[in-house]
Each structure stands twice: as C-alpha cells, then as structure tokens.
Amino acid sequence: MLSIIIPTKNEASNIGKLFNRLNKIKKIKNSEIILVDSDSKDNTRTLAKKLSRKYKLNVRIFNTGKLDLSNSVVFGFKKARGDMICVMDADLQHPPEMIFLMLRKLEKEKADIVIASRFVKGAKIGFSAQRVVVSKIYRFLAKIFVPKSQNVRDPAAGFFVFRKKILKNAKLEPVGFKILLEILAKTEYGVDKIVEIPFSFKERKKGKSKFNFKQTCVAFKHLLKLSRTSKEHKRFLKFCIIGASGLIINEGLLWTLTEFAGLFYLLSSVIAIETSILSNFVLNDIWTFRRERKGRFLKRMFKFNIARIFALFINLGILWLLTTIGIHYLISNLVGIAMVTLFTYLSSLLWVWK
Ligand SMILES: Nc1nc2c(ncn2[C@@H]2O[C@H](COP(=O)(O)OP(=O)(O)OP(=O)(O)O)[C@@H](O)[C@H]2O)c(=O)[nH]1
Ligand SMILES: [Mg+2]
C-alpha cells in the first residue's frame, strides 16, 4: 500500500482542487492519504474531512500543532501503514497525477527513492533569480555536508516516493522544510538506487507561501546540523592534519636535499613538493577518504596531483592580487593557503574521491 503524506498549513484555498484531482486518479482508492496539519486557522482540516467523505477517499487527518513542516512529515511517517511512502505539498505545485508514475518507476527500476526533480534534464522551474541563486548555494553545500547526497540533483525536493523500509534504524530530527535531505543523510538506501524524474514546478496560484527568509536561514542551519551527524567536520579536520604533515615533509625534504645532498634549492623544492603531494594523497586515501575509494588508485593519484597543481596557481594568484592592493605579502600568503586548503578539500571530496 502507498501512504501519501501531505503537510499543510492554511491551505484551505488549495485543498478542494487537490482532493478533486486526487479523486480522479484510479489507483488512489487503494492508498491512504495522511494529512499532517500544523494547526491551520483557515478550516483546512474541516474541509479535508468533508471532501474525503464526499469522494470516499481513505484520509487520516492529524493536527501536529506546533511541529514545523519536516517534523509534521516525520510524524506522518510514524502513522503510515503503507510499505511505500509519498511526500507531496498541498499547494498544487506538485501534480498529484505524477504519484503513481513515480511509484511505477520505483517498482520497475527497483529503486529505493524516486524524486520529482526540478533540476534534471526536461524539468522546468518558475523560480525568481534570487531563489535560483539561494537554491544553487544550498545544493552545492548539501554535496559537501551530506556527501551521500552527491549524486542527487534536487536534494531539496518536496515531492518524492520511497520504500518505508529505508527508515528502519534512522533517527530523524529535521528542522524546517528540507525533509528529503534529512532522509538522504540518515536512512539506509542504495546510493545507486535513487531515480530522479523531471517535472514542471510552477508558482503557487492560491494561498500564501510559508517559505520565507527565516526558513531559508533554518535550511542552512539544518545543513550544519547534518554535517555534525554525518561527521563531515571531522573529515575536514583529518584533511587539515594531513595537510600539516605534508608541510613538514615539504620543509624537511627541501632542507635535507639542499643542505646535505647538495641539490640546487629549486630542484630540491620540486622534489619536496611532489613528495608531500604523494604522501598527502596516500594518507588521505587510507584515512580521510577510506570509504570513498573507488576505481583505480593511479587515477585518483593523478587527479589529486592535477588539483594540487591548480591549487598552486590559485595560491600564487591570491598572493599576487592581495599584495598588489597593498596587503602584506605574508598575510596575502595566509589567505592564499586558506583558500587553497578549501579548494583542495572540495576538489578531493567532489572529484578525486567522488
Ligand atoms: N504541517 C505543516 N505544513 C507546512 C508548514 N509550512 C508549510 N507547510 C506545507 O508544506 C507545503 C510546502 O509549503 P510552501 O509554503 O508551499 O513552501 P514551498 O513550496 O517550499 O515554497 P513556494 O514555492 O514559495 O510555495 C505546503 O503544503 C504547506 O501547506 C508547517 O509549518 N507545518
Ligand atoms: Mg509551495
């Protein structure tokens, strides 16, 4: 059975049309609809009750009081009787006609999660320029803070179907609106068992959007919270420790080769830099990114080297730029090193050990 979970807050102006469209779907009679409403003041629940009687739909309505959107949905998960779950909004931005298309895809492709995605080929999205930028930043940070979600184009989607079994053992503690990312971070699914299908996400026509500046901040706060649970900050720390060890190797070898082997200092430096790159790579491969090792060792090593050479140019570029605008070269160099650390970390996470 499919449980369709619909979070609502003051959606009386949309609920009539939503139920009408749901009623026209044949397979809906074998599903349950769980409306999780956060204390709407506009009759949403009464109207939903009336309509479910009128259309003879299997609807269960809960008032989740002060719970926010994502926690209301989690409440819905606990009430769900189906072995498949669909989450969708009530404001008709998510076409209900797609529900069983997504379910079919889930079954046919033996997927764990099917997402109606706003960012795959064929999708259309009616976002303002400002929201496009925020969404881009959010999706980029999601890749860094929740690496498990790296292959998902729309981790902030609100319309998706999944197998309930993936929730087993997961301790969901979301805040705000982004329930999908919480699921991607904490549940047990196959990373290759996520399918995204395009859809056209239009502006809401009736009722008021509850997604505002405060909710945007909450979404970023949620990301930070997830990075703590996925222990991504520890990974970054490991990367920095290895970076520091590389610095010691670099300095030590430069000194030894120049002073004791009698090499010209620039030649010593080339050997020292490459040795530290290689030691950094090996240590990261067996410690920082142990679980992300895929494919050929040499290929990863080559990519890591390329990223480091790029990093060298970034370092020099920042050093030159900041020094020419009057900043002391030692401070410019520190800024350069910080930026390079970030760059090499991101290229490692999103490219070398993707
Ligand atoms: N239970 C519950 N539902 C909520 C809450 N806030 C919003 N919703 C519902 O969640 C769905 C998505 O909310 P919207 O305000 O449309 O947010 P959005 O779709 O991200 O933003 P827009 O694109 O501007 O519409 C709608 O069905 C809302 O009624 C809440 O605090 N509790
Ligand atoms: Mg909406």
Side-chain angles (χ1 to χ4, degrees), residues 89 91 93 201 204 209:
D89 292 353
D91 57 1
Q93 286 181 296
F201 185 76
R204 75 152 62 222
S209 168

Side-chain angles (χ1 to χ4, degrees), residues 62-279:
F62 298 94
N63 184 357
T64 56
K66 286 204 169 70
L67 291 188
D68 60 12
L69 193 165
S70 55
N71 282 290
S72 297
V73 172
V74 172
F75 178 91
F77 292 161
K78 289 178 189 144
K79 297 287 171 195
R81 293 172 181 149
D83 45 358
M84 311 283 184
I85 293 181
C86 170
V87 177
M88 69 178 295
D89 292 353
D91 57 1
L92 300 165
Q93 286 181 296
H94 299 154
E97 294 75 19
M98 266 183 75
I99 298 173
F100 289 93
L101 222 92
M102 289 157 78
L103 187 66
R104 236 191 344 265
K105 195 95 181 162
L106 188 94
E107 282 162 349
K108 206 170 140 210
E109 307 221 352
K110 295 191 171 59
D112 285 333
I113 308 175
V114 173
I115 302 168
S117 175
R118 298 164 297 177
F119 301 106
V120 288
K121 207 171 159 228
K124 283 197 191 117
I125 183 158
F127 267 179
S128 64
Q130 189 191 3
R131 229 172 134 173
V132 167
V133 173
V134 174
S135 159
K136 268 215 158 90
I137 296 172
Y138 179 87
R139 284 180 289 134
F140 179 66
L141 293 179
K143 281 185 187 189
I144 299 163
F145 292 150
V146 185
K148 255 174 97 188
S149 75
Q150 256 179 37
N151 295 327
V152 178
R153 304 293 296 271
D154 194 359
F159 190 19
F160 51 94
V161 173
F162 65 96
R163 295 178 196 274
K164 193 172 152 197
K165 67 170 191 205
I166 69 167
L167 296 179
K168 214 170 96 189
N169 306 325
K171 202 168 163 227
L172 300 180
E173 292 171 324
V175 283
F177 273 41
K178 307 298 178 194
I179 179 66
L180 179 58
L181 195 63
E182 179 82 11
I183 292 175
L184 292 173
K186 294 188 181 165
T187 66
E188 282 167 28
Y189 57 90
V191 277
D192 52 348
K193 289 191 165 184
I194 301 180
V195 178
E196 288 183 83
I197 53 175
F199 89 112
S200 172
F201 185 76
K202 300 199 179 86
E203 299 255 352
R204 75 152 62 222
K205 292 206 176 76
K206 287 189 176 159
K208 245 178 92 184
S209 168
K210 285 101 206 165
F211 196 74
N212 47 24
F213 179 69
K214 189 179 157 214
Q215 279 307 331
T216 309
C217 297
V218 174
F220 285 101
K221 206 171 114 191
H222 182 217
L223 266 179
L224 284 178
K225 197 174 163 204
L226 286 177
S227 84
R228 262 177 268 133
T229 27
S230 60
K231 302 206 170 61
E232 281 308 301
H233 59 301
K234 282 198 182 153
R235 193 207 290 276
F236 184 61
L237 194 69
K238 284 181 186 175
F239 189 82
C240 290
I241 292 170
I242 291 172
S245 80
L247 194 67
I248 294 169
I249 290 172
N250 189 340
E251 288 280 80
L253 210 59
L254 173 62
W255 181 67
T256 314
L257 292 177
T258 311
E259 296 296 326
F260 301 102
L263 291 187
F264 182 52
Y265 77 99
L266 285 181
L267 180 61
S268 306
S269 177
V270 171
I271 299 172
I273 289 173
E274 188 54 30
T275 310
S276 67
I277 291 177
L278 292 180
S279 82

Side-chain angles (χ1 to χ4, degrees), residues 45-62:
R45 290 188 306 282
T46 328
L47 210 57
K49 207 177 203 171
K50 252 192 218 160
L51 291 163
S52 56
R53 274 202 211 115
K54 177 178 165 192
Y55 295 128
K56 296 191 177 63
L57 293 172
N58 176 13
V59 184
R60 291 153 70 206
I61 301 166
F62 298 94

